[in-house]
Structures are given as structure tokens and as C-alpha cells.
PDB file of all heavy atoms in Angstrom:
ATOM      1  N   VAL A   1      62.458 -91.904-138.882  1.00  0.00           N
ATOM      2  CA  VAL A   1      61.164 -92.075-139.542  1.00  0.00           C
ATOM      3  C   VAL A   1      61.331 -92.887-140.816  1.00  0.00           C
ATOM      4  O   VAL A   1      60.448 -93.673-141.194  1.00  0.00           O
ATOM      5  CB  VAL A   1      60.501 -90.713-139.829  1.00  0.00           C
ATOM      6  CG1 VAL A   1      61.328 -89.878-140.818  1.00  0.00           C
ATOM      7  CG2 VAL A   1      59.084 -90.903-140.373  1.00  0.00           C
ATOM      8  N   GLU A   2      62.479 -92.744-141.486  1.00  0.00           N
ATOM      9  CA  GLU A   2      62.726 -93.531-142.696  1.00  0.00           C
ATOM     10  C   GLU A   2      62.788 -95.022-142.364  1.00  0.00           C
ATOM     11  O   GLU A   2      62.286 -95.858-143.130  1.00  0.00           O
ATOM     12  CB  GLU A   2      64.031 -93.086-143.360  1.00  0.00           C
ATOM     13  CG  GLU A   2      63.995 -91.712-143.986  1.00  0.00           C
ATOM     14  CD  GLU A   2      64.213 -90.584-142.968  1.00  0.00           C
ATOM     15  OE1 GLU A   2      64.529 -90.882-141.790  1.00  0.00           O
ATOM     16  OE2 GLU A   2      64.064 -89.406-143.360  1.00  0.00           O
ATOM     17  N   GLY A   3      63.391 -95.355-141.228  1.00  0.00           N
ATOM     18  CA  GLY A   3      63.458 -96.749-140.814  1.00  0.00           C
ATOM     19  C   GLY A   3      62.082 -97.317-140.511  1.00  0.00           C
ATOM     20  O   GLY A   3      61.763 -98.457-140.896  1.00  0.00           O
ATOM     21  N   VAL A   4      61.240 -96.544-139.822  1.00  0.00           N
ATOM     22  CA  VAL A   4      59.881 -96.986-139.527  1.00  0.00           C
ATOM     23  C   VAL A   4      59.094 -97.157-140.820  1.00  0.00           C
ATOM     24  O   VAL A   4      58.355 -98.140-140.992  1.00  0.00           O
ATOM     25  CB  VAL A   4      59.176 -95.999-138.583  1.00  0.00           C
ATOM     26  CG1 VAL A   4      57.696 -96.351-138.431  1.00  0.00           C
ATOM     27  CG2 VAL A   4      59.855 -95.988-137.213  1.00  0.00           C
ATOM     28  N   ALA A   5      59.238 -96.229-141.745  1.00  0.00           N
ATOM     29  CA  ALA A   5      58.538 -96.318-143.029  1.00  0.00           C
ATOM     30  C   ALA A   5      58.924 -97.589-143.776  1.00  0.00           C
ATOM     31  O   ALA A   5      58.065 -98.287-144.336  1.00  0.00           O
ATOM     32  CB  ALA A   5      58.832 -95.089-143.884  1.00  0.00           C
ATOM     33  N   GLU A   6      60.197 -97.906-143.786  1.00  0.00           N
ATOM     34  CA  GLU A   6      60.643 -99.120-144.465  1.00  0.00           C
ATOM     35  C   GLU A   6      60.135-100.369-143.762  1.00  0.00           C
ATOM     36  O   GLU A   6      59.796-101.373-144.407  1.00  0.00           O
ATOM     37  CB  GLU A   6      62.175 -99.151-144.556  1.00  0.00           C
ATOM     38  CG  GLU A   6      62.739-100.352-145.290  1.00  0.00           C
ATOM     39  CD  GLU A   6      62.169-100.527-146.687  1.00  0.00           C
ATOM     40  OE1 GLU A   6      61.805 -99.517-147.347  1.00  0.00           O
ATOM     41  OE2 GLU A   6      62.097-101.684-147.144  1.00  0.00           O
ATOM     42  N   ALA A   7      60.044-100.327-142.430  1.00  0.00           N
ATOM     43  CA  ALA A   7      59.490-101.454-141.683  1.00  0.00           C
ATOM     44  C   ALA A   7      58.028-101.687-142.054  1.00  0.00           C
ATOM     45  O   ALA A   7      57.579-102.839-142.176  1.00  0.00           O
ATOM     46  CB  ALA A   7      59.625-101.204-140.183  1.00  0.00           C
ATOM     47  N   ILE A   8      57.282-100.610-142.252  1.00  0.00           N
ATOM     48  CA  ILE A   8      55.887-100.725-142.686  1.00  0.00           C
ATOM     49  C   ILE A   8      55.826-101.261-144.112  1.00  0.00           C
ATOM     50  O   ILE A   8      55.073-102.185-144.420  1.00  0.00           O
ATOM     51  CB  ILE A   8      55.168 -99.367-142.581  1.00  0.00           C
ATOM     52  CG1 ILE A   8      55.059 -98.924-141.120  1.00  0.00           C
ATOM     53  CG2 ILE A   8      53.790 -99.436-143.217  1.00  0.00           C
ATOM     54  CD1 ILE A   8      54.563 -97.495-140.938  1.00  0.00           C
ATOM     55  N   ARG A   9      56.632-100.698-144.990  1.00  0.00           N
ATOM     56  CA  ARG A   9      56.612-101.083-146.406  1.00  0.00           C
ATOM     57  C   ARG A   9      56.999-102.550-146.591  1.00  0.00           C
ATOM     58  O   ARG A   9      56.377-103.279-147.383  1.00  0.00           O
ATOM     59  CB  ARG A   9      57.563-100.196-147.207  1.00  0.00           C
ATOM     60  CG  ARG A   9      57.586-100.495-148.703  1.00  0.00           C
ATOM     61  CD  ARG A   9      58.594 -99.643-149.437  1.00  0.00           C
ATOM     62  NE  ARG A   9      58.232 -98.222-149.396  1.00  0.00           N
ATOM     63  CZ  ARG A   9      58.851 -97.312-148.653  1.00  0.00           C
ATOM     64  NH1 ARG A   9      59.874 -97.655-147.879  1.00  0.00           N
ATOM     65  NH2 ARG A   9      58.462 -96.055-148.675  1.00  0.00           N
ATOM     66  N   SER A  10      58.004-103.002-145.858  1.00  0.00           N
ATOM     67  CA  SER A  10      58.535-104.354-146.049  1.00  0.00           C
ATOM     68  C   SER A  10      57.834-105.398-145.185  1.00  0.00           C
ATOM     69  O   SER A  10      58.197-106.562-145.201  1.00  0.00           O
ATOM     70  CB  SER A  10      60.033-104.372-145.750  1.00  0.00           C
ATOM     71  OG  SER A  10      60.283-104.077-144.375  1.00  0.00           O
ATOM     72  N   MET A  11      56.826-104.963-144.420  1.00  0.00           N
ATOM     73  CA  MET A  11      55.997-105.852-143.614  1.00  0.00           C
ATOM     74  C   MET A  11      56.732-106.469-142.441  1.00  0.00           C
ATOM     75  O   MET A  11      56.412-107.571-141.989  1.00  0.00           O
ATOM     76  CB  MET A  11      55.313-106.910-144.487  1.00  0.00           C
ATOM     77  CG  MET A  11      54.313-106.275-145.451  1.00  0.00           C
ATOM     78  SD  MET A  11      53.513-107.374-146.622  1.00  0.00           S
ATOM     79  CE  MET A  11      52.449-108.321-145.561  1.00  0.00           C
ATOM     80  N   VAL A  12      57.751-105.750-141.922  1.00  0.00           N
ATOM     81  CA  VAL A  12      58.247-106.060-140.590  1.00  0.00           C
ATOM     82  C   VAL A  12      57.070-105.976-139.624  1.00  0.00           C
ATOM     83  O   VAL A  12      56.893-106.812-138.732  1.00  0.00           O
ATOM     84  CB  VAL A  12      59.362-105.082-140.166  1.00  0.00           C
ATOM     85  CG1 VAL A  12      59.674-105.209-138.682  1.00  0.00           C
ATOM     86  CG2 VAL A  12      60.611-105.312-141.003  1.00  0.00           C
ATOM     87  N   ILE A  13      56.259-104.939-139.808  1.00  0.00           N
ATOM     88  CA  ILE A  13      55.007-104.778-139.077  1.00  0.00           C
ATOM     89  C   ILE A  13      53.899-104.678-140.095  1.00  0.00           C
ATOM     90  O   ILE A  13      54.064-104.051-141.149  1.00  0.00           O
ATOM     91  CB  ILE A  13      55.054-103.549-138.145  1.00  0.00           C
ATOM     92  CG1 ILE A  13      53.865-103.550-137.183  1.00  0.00           C
ATOM     93  CG2 ILE A  13      55.136-102.239-138.934  1.00  0.00           C
ATOM     94  CD1 ILE A  13      54.028-102.603-136.013  1.00  0.00           C
ATOM     95  N   ARG A  14      52.749-105.320-139.816  1.00  0.00           N
ATOM     96  CA  ARG A  14      51.633-105.301-140.761  1.00  0.00           C
ATOM     97  C   ARG A  14      50.345-105.489-139.978  1.00  0.00           C
ATOM     98  O   ARG A  14      50.362-105.744-138.782  1.00  0.00           O
ATOM     99  CB  ARG A  14      51.794-106.348-141.873  1.00  0.00           C
ATOM    100  CG  ARG A  14      52.600-107.573-141.630  1.00  0.00           C
ATOM    101  CD  ARG A  14      52.010-108.543-140.630  1.00  0.00           C
ATOM    102  NE  ARG A  14      50.644-108.913-140.968  1.00  0.00           N
ATOM    103  CZ  ARG A  14      49.758-109.328-140.103  1.00  0.00           C
ATOM    104  NH1 ARG A  14      50.063-109.437-138.809  1.00  0.00           N
ATOM    105  NH2 ARG A  14      48.543-109.637-140.458  1.00  0.00           N
ATOM    106  N   GLY A  15      49.219-105.324-140.666  1.00  0.00           N
ATOM    107  CA  GLY A  15      47.934-105.286-139.988  1.00  0.00           C
ATOM    108  C   GLY A  15      47.546-103.846-139.750  1.00  0.00           C
ATOM    109  O   GLY A  15      48.327-103.062-139.196  1.00  0.00           O
ATOM    110  N   ALA A  16      46.347-103.461-140.180  1.00  0.00           N
ATOM    111  CA  ALA A  16      45.961-102.046-140.181  1.00  0.00           C
ATOM    112  C   ALA A  16      46.126-101.364-138.818  1.00  0.00           C
ATOM    113  O   ALA A  16      46.722-100.282-138.742  1.00  0.00           O
ATOM    114  CB  ALA A  16      44.530-101.898-140.697  1.00  0.00           C
ATOM    115  N   PRO A  17      45.616-101.926-137.700  1.00  0.00           N
ATOM    116  CA  PRO A  17      45.798-101.226-136.426  1.00  0.00           C
ATOM    117  C   PRO A  17      47.262-101.062-136.035  1.00  0.00           C
ATOM    118  O   PRO A  17      47.667-100.002-135.539  1.00  0.00           O
ATOM    119  CB  PRO A  17      45.048-102.118-135.435  1.00  0.00           C
ATOM    120  CG  PRO A  17      44.029-102.832-136.265  1.00  0.00           C
ATOM    121  CD  PRO A  17      44.732-103.099-137.558  1.00  0.00           C
ATOM    122  N   ALA A  18      48.077-102.110-136.251  1.00  0.00           N
ATOM    123  CA  ALA A  18      49.505-102.011-135.926  1.00  0.00           C
ATOM    124  C   ALA A  18      50.189-100.978-136.806  1.00  0.00           C
ATOM    125  O   ALA A  18      51.063-100.221-136.343  1.00  0.00           O
ATOM    126  CB  ALA A  18      50.182-103.371-136.086  1.00  0.00           C
ATOM    127  N   ILE A  19      49.805-100.916-138.070  1.00  0.00           N
ATOM    128  CA  ILE A  19      50.365 -99.906-138.975  1.00  0.00           C
ATOM    129  C   ILE A  19      50.001 -98.506-138.488  1.00  0.00           C
ATOM    130  O   ILE A  19      50.808 -97.579-138.566  1.00  0.00           O
ATOM    131  CB  ILE A  19      49.876-100.144-140.413  1.00  0.00           C
ATOM    132  CG1 ILE A  19      50.558-101.392-141.003  1.00  0.00           C
ATOM    133  CG2 ILE A  19      50.149 -98.928-141.297  1.00  0.00           C
ATOM    134  CD1 ILE A  19      50.009-101.818-142.348  1.00  0.00           C
ATOM    135  N   GLY A  20      48.782 -98.342-137.967  1.00  0.00           N
ATOM    136  CA  GLY A  20      48.388 -97.041-137.433  1.00  0.00           C
ATOM    137  C   GLY A  20      49.265 -96.620-136.269  1.00  0.00           C
ATOM    138  O   GLY A  20      49.727 -95.472-136.205  1.00  0.00           O
ATOM    139  N   VAL A  21      49.525 -97.532-135.346  1.00  0.00           N
ATOM    140  CA  VAL A  21      50.385 -97.217-134.201  1.00  0.00           C
ATOM    141  C   VAL A  21      51.806 -96.948-134.667  1.00  0.00           C
ATOM    142  O   VAL A  21      52.462 -96.001-134.203  1.00  0.00           O
ATOM    143  CB  VAL A  21      50.346 -98.360-133.170  1.00  0.00           C
ATOM    144  CG1 VAL A  21      51.355 -98.105-132.049  1.00  0.00           C
ATOM    145  CG2 VAL A  21      48.941 -98.508-132.584  1.00  0.00           C
ATOM    146  N   ALA A  22      52.310 -97.765-135.599  1.00  0.00           N
ATOM    147  CA  ALA A  22      53.662 -97.558-136.125  1.00  0.00           C
ATOM    148  C   ALA A  22      53.775 -96.211-136.829  1.00  0.00           C
ATOM    149  O   ALA A  22      54.802 -95.524-136.714  1.00  0.00           O
ATOM    150  CB  ALA A  22      54.035 -98.690-137.084  1.00  0.00           C
ATOM    151  N   THR A  23      52.740 -95.824-137.547  1.00  0.00           N
ATOM    152  CA  THR A  23      52.730 -94.522-138.208  1.00  0.00           C
ATOM    153  C   THR A  23      52.858 -93.398-137.196  1.00  0.00           C
ATOM    154  O   THR A  23      53.671 -92.483-137.353  1.00  0.00           O
ATOM    155  CB  THR A  23      51.429 -94.360-139.022  1.00  0.00           C
ATOM    156  OG1 THR A  23      51.426 -95.313-140.091  1.00  0.00           O
ATOM    157  CG2 THR A  23      51.301 -92.953-139.596  1.00  0.00           C
ATOM    158  N   ALA A  24      52.055 -93.464-136.134  1.00  0.00           N
ATOM    159  CA  ALA A  24      52.107 -92.423-135.106  1.00  0.00           C
ATOM    160  C   ALA A  24      53.486 -92.353-134.465  1.00  0.00           C
ATOM    161  O   ALA A  24      54.049 -91.260-134.272  1.00  0.00           O
ATOM    162  CB  ALA A  24      51.040 -92.695-134.043  1.00  0.00           C
ATOM    163  N   MET A  25      54.056 -93.499-134.159  1.00  0.00           N
ATOM    164  CA  MET A  25      55.380 -93.511-133.540  1.00  0.00           C
ATOM    165  C   MET A  25      56.449 -93.037-134.514  1.00  0.00           C
ATOM    166  O   MET A  25      57.394 -92.334-134.126  1.00  0.00           O
ATOM    167  CB  MET A  25      55.703 -94.910-133.021  1.00  0.00           C
ATOM    168  CG  MET A  25      54.859 -95.315-131.822  1.00  0.00           C
ATOM    169  SD  MET A  25      55.381 -96.905-131.110  1.00  0.00           S
ATOM    170  CE  MET A  25      54.254 -97.021-129.711  1.00  0.00           C
ATOM    171  N   GLY A  26      56.310 -93.402-135.784  1.00  0.00           N
ATOM    172  CA  GLY A  26      57.271 -92.935-136.783  1.00  0.00           C
ATOM    173  C   GLY A  26      57.244 -91.430-136.951  1.00  0.00           C
ATOM    174  O   GLY A  26      58.295 -90.783-137.047  1.00  0.00           O
ATOM    175  N   LEU A  27      56.039 -90.861-136.963  1.00  0.00           N
ATOM    176  CA  LEU A  27      55.917 -89.408-137.072  1.00  0.00           C
ATOM    177  C   LEU A  27      56.508 -88.724-135.846  1.00  0.00           C
ATOM    178  O   LEU A  27      57.232 -87.714-135.965  1.00  0.00           O
ATOM    179  CB  LEU A  27      54.449 -89.021-137.231  1.00  0.00           C
ATOM    180  CG  LEU A  27      53.726 -89.536-138.482  1.00  0.00           C
ATOM    181  CD1 LEU A  27      52.274 -89.080-138.477  1.00  0.00           C
ATOM    182  CD2 LEU A  27      54.415 -89.080-139.757  1.00  0.00           C
ATOM    183  N   ALA A  28      56.198 -89.259-134.669  1.00  0.00           N
ATOM    184  CA  ALA A  28      56.755 -88.684-133.439  1.00  0.00           C
ATOM    185  C   ALA A  28      58.276 -88.766-133.446  1.00  0.00           C
ATOM    186  O   ALA A  28      58.969 -87.823-133.037  1.00  0.00           O
ATOM    187  CB  ALA A  28      56.186 -89.407-132.222  1.00  0.00           C
ATOM    188  N   LEU A  29      58.794 -89.870-133.924  1.00  0.00           N
ATOM    189  CA  LEU A  29      60.245 -90.062-133.989  1.00  0.00           C
ATOM    190  C   LEU A  29      60.884 -89.076-134.959  1.00  0.00           C
ATOM    191  O   LEU A  29      61.949 -88.497-134.682  1.00  0.00           O
ATOM    192  CB  LEU A  29      60.548 -91.488-134.420  1.00  0.00           C
ATOM    193  CG  LEU A  29      62.000 -91.960-134.362  1.00  0.00           C
ATOM    194  CD1 LEU A  29      62.540 -91.887-132.944  1.00  0.00           C
ATOM    195  CD2 LEU A  29      62.100 -93.387-134.898  1.00  0.00           C
ATOM    196  N   GLY A  30      60.217 -88.860-136.112  1.00  0.00           N
ATOM    197  CA  GLY A  30      60.750 -87.921-137.091  1.00  0.00           C
ATOM    198  C   GLY A  30      60.899 -86.524-136.531  1.00  0.00           C
ATOM    199  O   GLY A  30      61.919 -85.849-136.745  1.00  0.00           O
ATOM    200  N   VAL A  31      59.890 -86.071-135.791  1.00  0.00           N
ATOM    201  CA  VAL A  31      59.946 -84.729-135.202  1.00  0.00           C
ATOM    202  C   VAL A  31      60.904 -84.708-134.020  1.00  0.00           C
ATOM    203  O   VAL A  31      61.624 -83.718-133.807  1.00  0.00           O
ATOM    204  CB  VAL A  31      58.530 -84.268-134.795  1.00  0.00           C
ATOM    205  CG1 VAL A  31      58.592 -82.931-134.062  1.00  0.00           C
ATOM    206  CG2 VAL A  31      57.640 -84.147-136.028  1.00  0.00           C
ATOM    207  N   LYS A  32      60.954 -85.784-133.260  1.00  0.00           N
ATOM    208  CA  LYS A  32      61.873 -85.861-132.121  1.00  0.00           C
ATOM    209  C   LYS A  32      63.326 -85.696-132.581  1.00  0.00           C
ATOM    210  O   LYS A  32      64.151 -85.135-131.856  1.00  0.00           O
ATOM    211  CB  LYS A  32      61.699 -87.197-131.412  1.00  0.00           C
ATOM    212  CG  LYS A  32      62.570 -87.417-130.185  1.00  0.00           C
ATOM    213  CD  LYS A  32      62.189 -88.726-129.500  1.00  0.00           C
ATOM    214  CE  LYS A  32      63.051 -88.988-128.271  1.00  0.00           C
ATOM    215  NZ  LYS A  32      64.395 -89.476-128.644  1.00  0.00           N
ATOM    216  N   ASN A  33      63.616 -86.150-133.779  1.00  0.00           N
ATOM    217  CA  ASN A  33      64.987 -86.087-134.292  1.00  0.00           C
ATOM    218  C   ASN A  33      65.363 -84.727-134.872  1.00  0.00           C
ATOM    219  O   ASN A  33      66.533 -84.497-135.205  1.00  0.00           O
ATOM    220  CB  ASN A  33      65.202 -87.165-135.357  1.00  0.00           C
ATOM    221  CG  ASN A  33      65.293 -88.553-134.757  1.00  0.00           C
ATOM    222  OD1 ASN A  33      65.529 -88.717-133.565  1.00  0.00           O
ATOM    223  ND2 ASN A  33      65.090 -89.575-135.577  1.00  0.00           N
ATOM    224  N   LEU A  34      64.377 -83.823-135.006  1.00  0.00           N
ATOM    225  CA  LEU A  34      64.695 -82.490-135.517  1.00  0.00           C
ATOM    226  C   LEU A  34      65.497 -81.716-134.466  1.00  0.00           C
ATOM    227  O   LEU A  34      65.198 -81.778-133.273  1.00  0.00           O
ATOM    228  CB  LEU A  34      63.412 -81.733-135.858  1.00  0.00           C
ATOM    229  CG  LEU A  34      62.561 -82.299-137.010  1.00  0.00           C
ATOM    230  CD1 LEU A  34      61.292 -81.466-137.170  1.00  0.00           C
ATOM    231  CD2 LEU A  34      63.342 -82.343-138.318  1.00  0.00           C
ATOM    232  N   THR A  35      66.469 -80.989-134.919  1.00  0.00           N
ATOM    233  CA  THR A  35      67.299 -80.198-133.997  1.00  0.00           C
ATOM    234  C   THR A  35      66.957 -78.718-134.028  1.00  0.00           C
ATOM    235  O   THR A  35      67.458 -77.955-133.205  1.00  0.00           O
ATOM    236  CB  THR A  35      68.785 -80.376-134.341  1.00  0.00           C
ATOM    237  OG1 THR A  35      69.006 -79.996-135.704  1.00  0.00           O
ATOM    238  CG2 THR A  35      69.211 -81.825-134.149  1.00  0.00           C
ATOM    239  N   SER A  36      66.109 -78.338-134.960  1.00  0.00           N
ATOM    240  CA  SER A  36      65.743 -76.928-135.086  1.00  0.00           C
ATOM    241  C   SER A  36      64.272 -76.822-135.458  1.00  0.00           C
ATOM    242  O   SER A  36      63.746 -77.656-136.198  1.00  0.00           O
ATOM    243  CB  SER A  36      66.597 -76.249-136.158  1.00  0.00           C
ATOM    244  OG  SER A  36      66.079 -74.965-136.474  1.00  0.00           O
ATOM    245  N   GLY A  37      63.620 -75.782-134.921  1.00  0.00           N
ATOM    246  CA  GLY A  37      62.227 -75.533-135.258  1.00  0.00           C
ATOM    247  C   GLY A  37      62.064 -74.723-136.524  1.00  0.00           C
ATOM    248  O   GLY A  37      60.944 -74.390-136.927  1.00  0.00           O
ATOM    249  N   GLU A  38      63.158 -74.429-137.191  1.00  0.00           N
ATOM    250  CA  GLU A  38      63.103 -73.666-138.430  1.00  0.00           C
ATOM    251  C   GLU A  38      62.469 -74.521-139.524  1.00  0.00           C
ATOM    252  O   GLU A  38      62.770 -75.709-139.668  1.00  0.00           O
ATOM    253  CB  GLU A  38      64.516 -73.243-138.839  1.00  0.00           C
ATOM    254  CG  GLU A  38      64.555 -72.253-139.987  1.00  0.00           C
ATOM    255  CD  GLU A  38      65.972 -71.767-140.238  1.00  0.00           C
ATOM    256  OE1 GLU A  38      66.826 -71.926-139.344  1.00  0.00           O
ATOM    257  OE2 GLU A  38      66.215 -71.243-141.337  1.00  0.00           O
ATOM    258  N   ASP A  39      61.567 -73.910-140.292  1.00  0.00           N
ATOM    259  CA  ASP A  39      60.846 -74.625-141.365  1.00  0.00           C
ATOM    260  C   ASP A  39      60.121 -75.859-140.831  1.00  0.00           C
ATOM    261  O   ASP A  39      60.083 -76.921-141.474  1.00  0.00           O
ATOM    262  CB  ASP A  39      61.800 -75.034-142.485  1.00  0.00           C
ATOM    263  CG  ASP A  39      62.413 -73.841-143.201  1.00  0.00           C
ATOM    264  OD1 ASP A  39      61.720 -72.813-143.335  1.00  0.00           O
ATOM    265  OD2 ASP A  39      63.582 -73.937-143.604  1.00  0.00           O
TER     266      ASP A  39
END
């Protein structure tokens, strides 16, 4: 998710609709990488 966030910040990807899709994928990726449901 940190990599996706930096891609958004640095304009690897830009444009409001594309940023929305990238945000959703970044959030999904962040949770996908969790190894425990604790906290």
C-alpha cells in the first residue's frame, strides 16, 4: 500500500477516476498483505 500511495503522490498515476481505482486497489493490497486479523 505504501508503494501505491507513493505512485499516487508522485503522479505515476493521476486523474481523479484513475486515482480512485488506484486507491481501492492500494487498500485491498494493504489488507491482503496482513498476516493476522489481530487489531
Side-chain angles (χ1 to χ4, degrees):
V1 64
E2 290 82 7
V4 172
E6 182 55 30
I8 295 171
R9 182 183 295 107
S10 65
M11 295 176 70
V12 168
I13 192 165
R14 26 68 54 205
I19 288 172
V21 174
T23 294
M25 290 186 177
L27 298 179
L29 188 60
V31 175
K32 181 174 179 283
N33 287 342
L34 295 177
T35 57
S36 168
E38 190 174 342
D39 296 326

